[in-house]
Amino acid sequence: MYSYVRPYRLALLAGGVLSLVTAATGLALPLVVRALIGDLGQHRAVTAVLLLMTVLVTANAVLGAMGSYLLRRTAESVVLAARHRLVDRLLGLTIGGLDRAEPGDLMSRVTSDTTLLRDVTTNSVVGVVTGSLTLVATLVLMGLMDLVLLGVTVGVFSLTALVIGIVVPRIGRAARQAQNSVGVMGAALERMLGAFRTIKASGAEHRESERIHAAAREAWRADIRAAKWQAIAGNTAGLSVQCAFLAILAVGGTRVASGAISVGTLVAFLLYIFYLMMPIQLLEEAASQYQVAAAAVARIQEAERLPVEPGGLPIGEMTTAAAPPAGLGRPADPARPAAVSFEQVRFRYRPELPDVHQGVSFAIPPRGMTAFVGPSGAGKTTVFSLIERFYEPQSGRVLLDGTDVRDWPAAQLRAVIGYVEQDAPVLSGTLRELLRRPRLLLLDEATSQLDALNEAALRETVAETALITTVLVVAHRLSTVTMADRIIVMDAGQVKAVGTHSELVASNPLYAELAATQFLASVSA
Ligand SMILES: Nc1ncnc2c1ncn2[C@@H]1O[C@H](COP(=O)(O)OP(=O)(O)OP(=O)(O)O)[C@@H](O)[C@H]1O
Ligand SMILES: [Mg+2]
């Protein structure tokens, strides 16, 4: 937790000092009151003492306001920094890492868990320091006045400390459960919004609402539990002050009667009892909030430990990566034997899933357009994911311009590739601008239809680009495959045939079938 607060230690120190000075002005007041009572008793002039009291009261209010503003401001900065750090971390995640996470839960970690750092910064960090210093100072001043009464006070507060010590860990446990449930609810909401049409179409609103309500209720239950323990801890602190007050009144009263202390001392002592309320509540709140924040920090750190891409991906560098290093990513060099090649690539998305690529090999020359065709699930989109290095193959190599994609700096690799995802909501007009003359264009054709105008514009853009560079298209349309310079037929994670449309229609039964069913269907649609 300290690592989040460390950069702001100077501001915290300043806020802490202001709080301390505020507390000191408060502590001085009973002494002045004692002097006032003494002066009044002996009929001395009290103007100077009254003036001093006014100054102390005003300073207390002004410095107190400044201190709490500064602390709150710093706390908000800690939240901001934690959010910056986590968001950049999330953007650096590997695609595989994100596949395994719940996006909704990650969102709750960025939005809700970070917020919990705010209170711990103002209350825990500063509260512990100011609270314990004020406590010690008050106790010392009390001791200077009367040791017997101090003994009574310490006795009462030790009991309080015991109760709070038992209660506080329970607050932590409840807070962790509450935050986890908020995460579960976020994940459920995210799934619900993502599949909204399906839910409506299948009339599953009731089941979905049950699931999300259950998570919300779970968070409520845990929060109520935390509130219960927090109320117990807070009121134990309050109660102990009342008890101490009564005990001092009783014991102090007899001591005044016996002449051991003066009435002025007793009054001052009773005032100190109420000044103890502040540090004791500060310490109690610090302890409970520390528990809540520790739960949040644990969740934030869990998210920060998700696998990030090699090289850590400095976000700033990724967007400004202008020119790739010499030799890499130049306009297609026709002298090169292959722009993109797969060598015996075997790949699966997760260890427990079957191989998606079962030894895929091909080599694509630097100029022109290559179309990938094959039944759904053949592994065509996966080819693009491996070129982009969203995942790494279990064995075999993926080469761009003769260099293994693992040897390319990740940001530069992606800077030279233009990628249009399958069914991405991209229109051809924006396509021309979004694609900034890439070294390599990957186009995963939408399975759904574009309107005729957009489709013609898209085809034109692709044809233009193919004249100067390498274009790979996952093709679902006859118009695309007939335009392609070569076609790679994939099925069940393997390359089955390579050729032109007319060659393949004649020689490859799978292709002939695809052409007859899938492509022609897309034409008539
Ligand atoms: N992120 C993923 N995690 C796990 N399995 C996946 C993932 N993406 C794809 N798959 C699986 O890998 C196989 C190949 O998927 P891929 O998307 O490459 O097929 P495709 O040839 O592009 O199919 P389509 O023509 O439907 O787009 C499929 O069985 C698919 O279910
Ligand atoms: Mg696909």
Side-chain angles (χ1 to χ4, degrees):
M1 188 177 306
Y2 182 63
S3 74
Y4 292 94
V5 175
R6 217 172 79 93
Y8 301 96
R9 55 190 186 279
L10 282 184
L12 276 180
L13 190 72
V17 167
L18 276 176
S19 306
L20 273 181
V21 174
T22 310
T25 56
L27 279 182
L29 214 52
L31 295 177
V32 179
V33 169
R34 186 162 76 161
L36 182 73
I37 292 175
D39 285 351
L40 281 174
Q42 291 168 22
H43 305 289
R44 277 200 298 255
V46 291
T47 335
V49 181
L50 280 178
L51 198 68
L52 183 60
M53 272 177 80
T54 314
V55 169
L56 281 177
V57 169
T58 315
N60 188 287
V62 172
L63 295 179
M66 278 167 59
S68 59
Y69 170 73
L70 189 63
L71 287 180
R72 178 65 192 260
R73 205 190 134 100
T74 312
E76 297 293 352
S77 307
V78 169
V79 172
L80 179 67
R83 285 188 177 149
H84 280 328
R85 194 165 119 181
L86 190 52
V87 166
D88 282 357
R89 192 81 188 166
L90 290 182
L91 275 169
L93 286 185
T94 60
I95 305 268
L98 192 65
D99 283 350
R100 281 191 290 275
E102 291 271 15
D105 182 53
L106 287 181
M107 259 163 65
S108 84
R109 289 170 204 240
V110 178
T111 52
S112 122
D113 283 299
T114 48
T115 318
L116 297 179
L117 289 178
R118 179 170 53 214
D119 295 338
V120 82
T121 310
T122 38
N123 299 353
S124 266
V125 178
V126 178
V128 164
V129 178
T130 21
S132 32
L133 281 179
T134 321
L135 185 69
V136 169
T138 313
L139 289 178
V140 166
L141 286 174
M142 284 177 149
L144 288 178
M145 279 197 269
D146 191 52
L147 282 175
V148 177
L149 291 185
L150 175 68
V152 174
T153 315
V154 170
V156 173
F157 287 128
S158 310
L159 278 177
T160 318
L162 193 71
V163 174
I164 292 180
I166 294 171
V167 166
V168 154
R170 289 162 211 271
I171 298 175
R173 236 170 294 146
R176 225 175 339 263
Q177 280 160 3
Q179 286 308 107
N180 279 340
S181 309
V182 171
V184 171
M185 186 174 70
L189 268 176
E190 189 254 346
R191 270 196 299 269
M192 185 238 338
L193 295 174
F196 206 57
R197 283 159 185 259
T198 314
I199 290 170
K200 291 258 174 214
S202 57
E205 289 101 330
H206 187 68
R207 208 186 52 221
E208 284 300 310
S209 93
E210 269 305 299
R211 251 161 27 104
I212 298 168
H213 284 310
R217 265 196 305 272
E218 197 43 57
W220 174 80
R221 224 171 282 138
D223 268 327
I224 296 286
R225 224 174 307 139
K228 179 180 73 187
W229 293 118
Q230 259 164 344
I232 290 176
N235 282 292
T236 306
L239 179 71
S240 68
V241 172
Q242 310 290 340
C243 290
F245 181 80
L246 293 178
I248 295 298
L249 205 57
V251 179
T254 53
R255 282 177 72 73
V256 170
S258 71
I261 55 171
S262 67
V263 179
T265 304
L266 179 60
V267 171
F269 212 96
L270 288 174
L271 280 177
Y272 275 130
I273 291 290
F274 281 100
Y275 278 109
L276 271 183
M277 181 98 100
M278 192 271 287
I280 285 183
Q281 255 161 12
L282 271 185
L283 288 175
E284 178 273 315
E285 269 170 28
S288 1
Q289 260 144 15
Y290 178 83
Q291 295 291 326
V292 175
V297 166
R299 281 171 51 79
I300 293 172
Q301 279 175 345
E302 245 169 55
E304 284 183 347
R305 274 196 298 272
L306 287 174
V308 289
E309 300 199 296
L313 190 74
I315 303 293
E317 232 171 75
M318 186 173 130
T319 44
T320 56
L328 293 182
R330 288 281 169 71
D333 175 1
R336 267 189 205 280
V340 180
S341 51
F342 272 48
E343 295 177 352
Q344 283 303 321
V345 170
R346 302 193 79 85
F347 171 73
R348 64 179 82 167
Y349 279 95
R350 267 177 255 172
E352 68 273 16
L353 295 177
D355 278 359
V356 170
H357 281 178
Q358 309 178 0
V360 172
S361 299
F362 57 77
I364 291 165
R367 292 267 166 99
M369 173 174 154
T370 305
F372 287 83
V373 300
S376 182
K380 306 178 297 288
T381 300
T382 306
V383 167
F384 287 4
S385 301
L386 292 178
I387 296 174
E388 283 270 16
R389 205 184 162 200
F390 291 155
Y391 305 90
E392 288 185 9
Q394 268 71 42
S395 67
R397 295 202 303 163
V398 177
L399 303 150
L400 176 61
D401 285 343
T403 306
D404 194 319
V405 290
R406 276 172 293 203
D407 297 333
W408 281 71
Q412 271 148 9
L413 176 72
R414 290 175 195 160
V416 301
I417 302 176
Y419 182 25
V420 182
E421 275 185 87
Q422 191 167 15
D423 296 319
V426 181
L427 298 178
S428 56
T430 48
L431 188 75
R432 273 170 203 270
E433 304 145 31
L434 266 181
L435 292 185
R436 57 193 154 71
R437 300 233 164 268
R439 159 66 195 86
L440 168 69
L441 174 60
L442 306 177
L443 176 67
D444 203 341
E445 209 170 55
T447 35
S448 56
Q449 301 290 310
L450 292 174
D451 60 83
L453 204 67
N454 271 320
E455 175 154 1
L458 181 69
R459 206 163 44 223
E460 199 179 298
T461 312
V462 169
E464 252 172 48
T465 316
L467 288 179
I468 53 159
T469 187
T470 321
V471 177
L472 311 189
V473 185
V474 171
H476 292 285
R477 274 184 257 292
L478 188 65
S479 53
T480 315
V481 287
T482 48
M483 218 170 79
D485 298 297
R486 74 200 63 77
I487 296 162
I488 297 181
V489 184
M490 289 188 73
D491 187 25
Q494 282 174 332
V495 173
K496 296 293 184 190
V498 182
T500 61
H501 177 63
S502 45
E503 284 166 18
L504 290 169
V505 169
S507 68
N508 188 283
L510 173 66
Y511 185 82
E513 193 197 318
L514 280 173
T517 55
Q518 196 174 326
F519 298 154
L520 289 182
S522 75
V523 167
S524 60

